[in-house]
Amino acid sequence: MEITGPRLDRFDEILTPQALDFVAALHREFDGRRLELLEARQARQAELSAGGTLDFLPETKEIREGDWQVASPAPGLEDRRVEITGPVDKKMTINALNSGAKVWLADFEDANSPLWENCVAGQLNLRDALDRAIDFETGGKSYALLPDDELATIVVRPRGWHLDEKHANVDGRPVSASLFDFGLYFFHCAQRQLDKGKGPYFYLPKMESHLEARLWNDVFTRAQALLGIPHGTIRATVLIETYPAAFEMEEILYELREHSAGLNAGRWDYLFSVIKKFRTRGREFLLPERNAVTMTAPFMRAYTELLVRTCHKRGAHAIGGMAAFIPSRRDPEVNAVALEKVRADKTRESGDGFDGSWVAHPDLVPICQEVFDGVLGERPNQLDRLREDVAVTAADLLSVSETPGDITETGLRNNVDVALRYLAAWMGGSGAVAIHNLMEDAATAEISRSQIWQWIHNDITLADTGERVTKELVERIIAEELEQASKEPAYNEKLFGQATALFKEVALDDDFAEFLTLPAYARMP
């Protein structure tokens, strides 16, 4: 195994020969299957682009009709009423663990810019946190962990199956970023977590089929055997954030059942996937601007209702979506409106039967906790709410055309502005970015650019100005938004230049890039 990234301060504590041998062993055993599954994704996309559709799989009907349950909740995952997400930098690690949330999603994926330094230092921060060796001072302020029994449970999200780690090669091939992130954390921290009475827990992103979940399950089984960790110690929650996965929820739980910790409604990436999968199918799958698409849209309602029903039928936790608002200490009026929306969102989720939900900022933990406390009381979850009243069909999941809302110049400008600002920050090493009082990550940038691509290719006329969305119009708006951004103190001409070139490639090219992070990562050192 060859490491081509720099070995910075203390990196040798993570990139040990033994840890790298462990990652290499996983790569050699499983990377061939990963690549085959990525080819299967392309074949399925070709079928959809040619007029095919999504449906519940006839070949797995016995699984959906069978009598089985996932493993019972693992220590530290019984009560998940509030989960906070964020990147694995040192400050966030301490603040998230101290936040009062039950779970911290330690994110190497959408909230992380995958600079080599971020990926390895993040592993170091997780290990240091478990060793209680992460406290530090900066700018006259101290950051220190609370006692262990007051800390959130760590759940790590590795990068998706589609990504490589270009700074690590095995036998001349890049290592799967999934196996790199998972392997290093498991090698260094699995026993540390067990010693603290919990375990190595994971969130699994971007999967498109139960066969991809089967691959993860086989990785878990092998990893536990290699390190002598008892089988079933690992627990994983799957983000249902791709359109195909919504039709295979039960099968995904079944494949991971002895390692399953439930499903999460990854709603922003889900919207991106809806656009991506049916981007060539005309206006039947055309969404209004992203801020107009709410969780009450019929196809989104069907998706979340089915998720709760599926999870509770199988004894698995159902975790709700992200509240991305960032409270402002300078604008109480903005706060009041936004916090009411957060409260309404969490009230809907808790009323629907979700066992917990996500927030992006520590200041939102109390609101989410209050709402779920009102439903749960002293109970750790509401797995007993089986939601047998829910009956969702494939047509319900596919009812995108029933989504109310317009496409306006304001919405177009917002997509351009958010994407440019986010990509500039991402290229600079920040993957979770505060933009206009919202915590934006790669998922919202994906929605922004893919919507623009779809609007251009469907001759959309803006509801407020009457202009048609063309490449020329988008180019003009890009120039105007850059001019506005250039007046701000934090503007970085080099990073915005890189962001602009990347954005034009993924939003304006005739060919649709599967993930903007792929060409973005290729531009990174």
Side-chain angles (χ1 to χ4, degrees):
M1 186 168 182
E2 179 189 17
I3 298 296
T4 59
R7 299 222 176 201
L8 302 178
D9 183 41
R10 297 185 64 205
F11 276 25
D12 284 344
E13 296 177 33
I14 294 297
L15 303 172
T16 64
Q18 297 86 352
L20 295 180
D21 284 348
F22 177 72
V23 173
L26 295 179
H27 172 90
R28 290 187 176 113
E29 185 166 349
F30 296 108
D31 197 56
R33 279 174 61 190
R34 175 182 78 102
L35 296 176
E36 289 174 1
L37 288 167
L38 293 179
E39 289 182 5
R41 286 188 187 180
Q42 296 303 316
R44 195 172 203 184
Q45 180 64 64
E47 292 173 4
L48 295 176
S49 297
T53 192
L54 295 170
D55 203 345
F56 301 107
L57 303 178
E59 63 267 30
T60 55
K61 184 179 179 181
E62 288 187 6
I63 291 174
R64 294 193 299 277
E65 295 179 350
D67 183 16
W68 53 270
Q69 296 277 290
V70 303
S72 57
L77 292 179
E78 301 95 338
D79 187 333
R80 303 173 63 178
R81 67 188 68 196
V82 189
E83 302 193 353
I84 190 168
T85 73
V88 279
D89 60 84
K90 186 176 287 191
K91 180 180 174 182
M92 182 65 190
T93 297
I94 294 174
N95 286 345
L97 289 172
N98 288 348
S99 67
K102 296 294 186 181
V103 166
W104 171 40
L105 188 160
D107 197 5
F108 286 95
E109 205 233 359
D110 272 3
N112 176 58
S113 172
L115 286 174
W116 173 247
E117 293 87 337
N118 288 350
C119 293
V120 183
Q123 297 281 351
L124 195 57
N125 291 332
L126 291 171
R127 199 194 68 172
D128 283 351
L130 291 171
D131 289 345
R132 300 192 62 83
I134 197 173
D135 300 356
F136 71 102
E137 291 188 12
T138 183
K141 188 173 182 180
S142 297
Y143 294 86
L145 289 175
L146 295 170
D148 277 358
D149 61 358
E150 298 180 41
L151 301 180
T153 296
I154 295 172
V155 179
V156 171
R157 178 161 68 167
R159 285 169 283 177
W161 281 133
H162 62 288
L163 294 166
D164 294 332
E165 173 48 68
K166 66 182 180 182
H167 301 95
N169 299 305
V170 173
D171 306 327
R173 285 197 49 81
V175 172
S176 156
S178 301
L179 297 179
F180 183 83
D181 297 341
F182 163 80
L184 289 179
Y185 176 73
F186 188 78
F187 183 87
H188 289 292
C189 296
Q191 190 59 52
R192 282 177 163 87
Q193 287 283 30
L194 289 171
D195 293 344
K196 287 182 177 289
K198 295 184 178 178
Y201 306 142
F202 298 90
Y203 257 107
L204 304 179
K206 304 290 190 293
M207 283 197 285
E208 296 194 9
S209 78
H210 69 285
L211 298 179
E212 295 180 20
R214 181 181 299 173
L215 176 58
W216 268 119
N217 197 68
D218 291 346
V219 169
F220 294 162
T221 297
R222 185 64 177 142
Q224 289 165 140
L226 286 172
L227 296 189
I229 302 292
H231 183 80
T233 299
I234 292 173
R235 295 299 168 83
T237 306
V238 173
L239 292 112
I240 301 300
E241 57 183 352
T242 71
Y243 216 5
F247 295 82
E248 300 184 35
M249 293 189 205
E250 291 204 62
E251 294 89 335
I252 287 169
L253 286 175
Y254 181 82
E255 294 295 344
L256 286 161
R257 57 196 180 280
E258 69 265 41
H259 296 120
S260 178
L263 304 176
N264 166 271
R267 55 198 186 192
W268 305 126
D269 260 313
Y270 189 75
L271 290 176
F272 163 54
S273 183
V274 168
I275 298 167
K276 177 168 67 173
K277 291 300 172 188
F278 288 90
R279 62 184 181 266
T280 64
R281 302 289 290 277
R283 299 197 176 209
E284 184 184 357
F285 290 94
L286 188 76
L287 287 169
E289 58 197 49
R290 72 179 182 118
N291 291 338
V293 183
T294 71
M295 297 307 295
T296 60
F299 82 104
M300 295 298 282
R301 192 91 184 109
Y303 149 66
T304 54
E305 292 270 82
L306 180 61
L307 191 147
V308 174
R309 168 75 180 110
T310 300
C311 285
H312 289 184
K313 177 182 176 183
R314 302 304 181 182
H317 281 91
I319 307 299
M322 168 75 81
F325 175 64
I326 302 173
S328 168
R329 294 178 173 88
R330 293 175 295 187
D331 198 332
E333 290 185 17
V334 168
N335 275 1
V337 173
L339 291 176
E340 191 53 42
K341 289 181 179 178
V342 171
R343 184 180 298 278
D345 184 49
K346 301 312 172 191
T347 299
R348 176 189 49 75
E349 288 181 329
S350 61
D352 285 347
F354 280 96
D355 302 291
S357 192
W358 281 11
V359 299
H361 193 281
D363 287 355
L364 297 183
V365 169
I367 292 178
C368 189
Q369 171 116 16
E370 177 190 336
V371 171
F372 274 88
D373 283 352
V375 171
L376 295 175
E378 296 298 317
R379 296 179 300 154
N381 52 61
Q382 47 185 337
L383 291 174
D384 57 334
R385 282 198 63 196
L386 299 181
R387 293 305 313 271
E388 292 176 338
D389 56 306
V390 171
V392 172
T393 66
D396 294 331
L397 293 173
L398 293 166
S399 61
V400 175
S401 61
E402 297 176 22
T403 306
D406 293 322
I407 299 169
T408 66
E409 183 182 323
T410 301
L412 175 57
R413 282 188 180 276
N414 184 66
N415 279 358
V416 170
D417 181 45
V418 167
L420 290 175
R421 291 174 184 270
Y422 180 78
L423 291 174
W426 196 91
M427 297 301 293
S430 297
V433 187
I435 303 173
H436 310 318
N437 291 113
L438 292 175
M439 186 65 76
E440 306 284 5
D441 66 10
T444 48
E446 289 281 29
I447 296 171
S448 295
R449 67 95 181 185
S450 59
Q451 281 204 317
I452 291 172
W453 190 96
Q454 190 182 36
W455 296 343
I456 289 171
H457 288 80
N458 281 277
D459 294 325
I460 294 303
T461 299
L462 298 174
D464 51 350
T465 68
E467 285 189 90
R468 192 162 63 88
V469 181
T470 62
K471 290 181 182 180
E472 292 73 24
L473 174 60
V474 176
E475 293 261 17
R476 191 190 83 207
I477 291 176
I478 289 171
E480 291 169 358
E481 294 302 319
L482 284 173
E483 175 65 22
Q484 184 62 36
S486 69
K487 299 173 183 176
E488 300 172 9
Y491 180 77
N492 182 304
E493 185 175 1
K494 178 183 177 183
L495 292 177
F496 268 88
Q498 292 174 327
T500 301
L502 174 61
F503 179 68
K504 288 181 178 179
E505 177 183 336
V506 297
L508 302 183
D509 278 6
D510 288 337
D511 293 330
F512 185 90
E514 282 291 295
F515 294 95
L516 67 77
T517 46
L518 294 173
Y521 189 45
R523 287 170 161 83
M524 271 188 166

